Amino acid sequence: MSQKVVSANSQLCTGCKQCELFCSFEHEGIYSPRLARIRVVKFEEKCLSVPVTCAYCERPVCEEVCPVGAMKHDPATGAAQVLEDLCIGCKECVNVCPLGAVEIHPKKGTAMRCDQCKGDPACVKYCPAGALQYEPLAHTVRDKRRARVTAWSLD
Amino acid sequence: MRQIAGDILFVNLTNGTWWREPVSKNVLLPYLGGRGINARILWDHVKPGTDPLGPENVLIFGAGLLSGTAAPSSGRTTVTCLSPATGLYLKTSGGGQWGAELKFAGFGYIVIFGRAEEPVYLWIDDEKIEIRDASKVWGIDVRETDLAIKKELGDADIQISSIGPAGEKLVRFAAVMFSVYHAAGRGGAGAVMGSKNLKAIAVRGSGSVAAAKPVLFHETTILARKNLLSDSAAQGLATYGTSGSLNGVNELRVFPAYNFQRSCVDDVYPLTGQYLVEKGYLQRRVACFGCVIGCHRYSTVERGVFAGSYAGGPEYETMSALGGGCGVMDTAAVIRANELCNIYGLDTISTGSVIQWAMECYEKGALGRQDLDGRELRWGDGEAVVRLVRQIAFREGFGDLLAEGVKRAAERVGGDTYKWAVHSKGLEQSRVDTRSAKSYALAFAVNPRGADHLHTETFAEFGLSPEARALIKTITGDEKYANPYITEKRAEIVRWHEDCYAVTDALGFCAFSTTALYGITPKLMADLFSAATGYNISEQEIMLAGRRIVTLEKCYNTRLGADRKDDTLAWRLMNERSPDRPDTIAINSTAELDQMLDEYYSLHGWDLATSRPKRSTLNSLGLADIADELEMAGRIGKE
């Protein structure tokens, strides 16, 4: 499992949405949360913010259901791609994604999902709270395990 | 340009009509955005003789010019109207996510005229505007309103600004709330919203905000964010929030306690941001839209009589006003009182201020149990504070008197109680003891909305960080003037901060990023403005625009008849020495204030005798039409 993923720690997320802005600027050259491939779900009465983006599923159902082969991974880097020339905007990928991490671009009519900015995700780079990580899943799990154990064994 | 500023949405609640207009270059360049453009709209539409709580008052929301962009900490919204607390100019601002959402819907401003027959709320769904029945949410609190409107509109992601019961009941210090826990708190804008029968403004924006020069702008935001995050105080503010500074402020003896009878408390720890973290009250750090600091808090109480409390905050001002100011050192009680202020839509500063005034009245016998619904009211009684917050919001029993604010309450109770009413122009003073902080003293006295720090945040005068000392040197020529106990150079310090704060507000930046931390400099603001709008302006020009805004606000009060005599501080501060400093400086006297005012008015080019701006001054700022109107009203300054 060496594929890197963007993972979020909602306990650290402050809900500032810089990730959405940097993502939309990276991909579209404008600031628009609606065009971001990462979205922060907020529960304002509890001041809770949870970033949601493509999880790079081991079994990418969005790719399985795509009738025209537009949802792909780059074989060299493992980065997800949307082949916009092929995409017909049928929304099957949107429907099957269990996370709500795939959307249809409001202007282009083609699918949008996280492409990890070619290996240097802007959302992670500019998260001021350290709530987003980009690393192999095994590392994320390792750190999470240690953090949790530390919390109750060294207190 | 239209993209970045957003359009102006005009709504007439009396006849249910609305229309939109773009922001013209002729308004954008002189007034920059947010607070500046709001001030011009107020000048044009709300004339002398208007009842602040009548339908003729106009309520103006202005998102920051840069709100919605990646410019760090630029998500604030300014609310402007005639204040029901002071009868004078009011601008009050709040954070949260609402302003950015408004920008994504294509608007920068909402101007509310008139008064709806029945309670309504405004629904802005991109370009679709609807005035909807609010009878189901009238009477319920801010948190319930937020959830109920999201449910009714079928979208939990929309952004809502609303008032609580306090605004509906026309409490004179009711707040306009954004994103549940972010308040445009001061001066009673919530009561103005309530007087218009407007419960809320819900917004869904699915569009974008784009700079005129996108790449240059984006690169400048990255520079700005680096600058801000490298400020020596940034980490502390992020980790401990605004109340993280309480220990230092207490040691400086500028932390007002027991209704300004004292300037510190014996053990401040239970009110500090450090205590919230170390004792497990803090659950999370929270940021406003686009903020890289995240000084807002989310705190809960798990045990004791206040178990189950949860809300954003408490902030520095709240810890002082509802805590130390009332002698309450019970953290959980302050968290609870803060929660109630938030959900009932009350300004925590004024709420704490009226309660501590009442405590002093009880202590000194001006109020007895018979006045207080048969109860006692003693210093340090957290449960009494919590009870009174509710009574004020709903104007129940004794709360009805306090809901009028400390100036009117003291006038009704009479006797010596005005001496304990710590306000100026009718606005309860925010939580700095100005007796030992002379820039603050001057800034609070001249603030057009009354005594507080949110027109001019002169924190730099304490010289607590290298950045603060460097700024004082830039303004005055010497670091030695980073000294809050001297009156020398205070006018220069105040005026620089006024200009900077006006630009800060206009662009939507948080004052913490420009005048408490110093990472967002006037130069950066000028560069961001230029790249955002495509109109190149320099640092000097943007600061001059700041002065134009400040001067227009002054003229607004001048037109209403306010004068030099109104630029003063509370009786207590002018007549009673702080007992917590052994030296002689710890008082604000008429002589001291007069000296600073003379210097300040001279710097501004205002008439010393009356404080009225002169025509030559107004002409040089491009405000000749304002001068014409003041002249016609017989209120122009003598050359």
Side-chain angles (χ1 to χ4, degrees), chain B residues 290-319:
Chain B
C291 181
V292 298
I293 302 291
C295 73
H296 194 50
R297 314 279 93 181
Y298 175 68
S299 310
T300 62
V301 179
E302 310 289 340
R303 283 180 289 278
V305 285
F306 301 112
S309 303
Y310 64 101
E315 304 293 341
Y316 167 99
E317 295 289 331
T318 306
M319 285 292 200

Side-chain angles (χ1 to χ4, degrees), chain A residues 10-18 20-22 25-26 29-35 39-49 106-107 125-129, chain B residues 68-70 72 97 104 143 146-147 150 159 179-181 206-210 214-215 217-218 221-222 225 283-292 298 310 312:
Chain A
S10 61
Q11 266 305 307
L12 293 178
C13 179
T14 60
C16 74
K17 300 194 176 183
Q18 283 279 39
E20 296 183 357
L21 297 176
F22 275 84
F25 190 85
E26 182 74 24
I30 51 175
Y31 302 115
S32 174
R34 175 72 182 78
L35 296 174
R39 299 297 296 274
V40 180
V41 176
K42 295 180 83 92
F43 299 84
E44 268 153 344
E45 75 282 12
K46 295 280 169 72
C47 295
L48 183 66
S49 300
K107 294 217 168 69
K125 196 166 160 185
Y126 292 103
C127 173
Chain B
T69 74
Q97 311 273 328
F104 294 130
R143 197 156 53 198
D146 194 82
L147 291 169
K150 284 173 175 170
Q159 278 295 318
S179 312
V180 185
Y181 299 122
S206 63
S208 61
V209 174
V215 176
F217 181 83
H218 195 65
T221 70
I222 292 171
R225 120 196 219 117
Q283 300 307 316
R284 283 185 273 288
R285 296 169 47 222
V286 185
C288 298
F289 189 91
C291 181
V292 298
Y298 175 68
Y310 64 101

Side-chain angles (χ1 to χ4, degrees), chain B residues 291-484:
Chain B
C291 181
V292 298
I293 302 291
C295 73
H296 194 50
R297 314 279 93 181
Y298 175 68
S299 310
T300 62
V301 179
E302 310 289 340
R303 283 180 289 278
V305 285
F306 301 112
S309 303
Y310 64 101
E315 304 293 341
Y316 167 99
E317 295 289 331
T318 306
M319 285 292 200
S320 176
L322 294 165
C326 298
V328 172
M329 304 306 292
D330 174 354
T331 316
V334 178
I335 291 174
R336 177 64 171 164
N338 174 63
E339 177 190 26
L340 295 185
C341 283
N342 277 325
I343 67 175
Y344 297 153
L346 284 168
D347 175 37
T348 60
I349 301 174
S350 291
T351 303
S353 299
V354 293
I355 294 172
Q356 57 201 262
W357 169 82
M359 284 174 160
E360 188 165 348
C361 289
Y362 181 75
E363 179 191 45
K364 296 185 171 161
L367 290 171
R369 289 175 70 133
Q370 71 284 0
D371 305 304
L372 299 165
D373 308 313
R375 292 194 170 95
E376 300 192 313
L377 184 58
R378 295 190 189 281
W379 297 110
D381 185 347
E383 289 187 46
V385 170
V386 167
R387 189 176 62 239
L388 279 173
V389 170
R390 191 193 148 82
Q391 286 187 254
I392 291 167
F394 291 88
R395 285 186 178 270
E396 291 167 356
F398 177 59
D400 190 39
L401 175 73
L402 297 186
E404 288 296 292
V406 79
K407 178 171 179 256
R408 287 178 175 81
E411 282 165 4
R412 281 202 207 153
V413 175
D416 273 348
T417 64
Y418 73 91
K419 295 179 178 174
W420 319 323
V422 183
H423 72 90
S424 87
K425 300 188 176 79
L427 185 78
E428 294 76 12
Q429 175 154 329
S430 68
R431 312 304 297 177
V432 179
D433 191 327
T434 50
R435 289 175 291 197
S436 302
K438 306 302 182 186
S439 290
Y440 279 97
L442 175 59
F444 283 32
V446 300
N447 186 339
R449 82 175 184 189
D452 76 10
H453 59 295
L454 296 164
H455 193 72
T456 313
E457 170 56 277
T458 53
F459 190 58
E461 76 167 330
F462 291 115
L464 293 179
S465 72
E467 292 88 351
R469 291 189 292 275
L471 175 61
I472 294 295
K473 187 175 177 188
T474 306
I475 299 169
T476 64
D478 199 322
E479 255 189 39
K480 74 176 182 191
Y481 295 113
N483 177 350

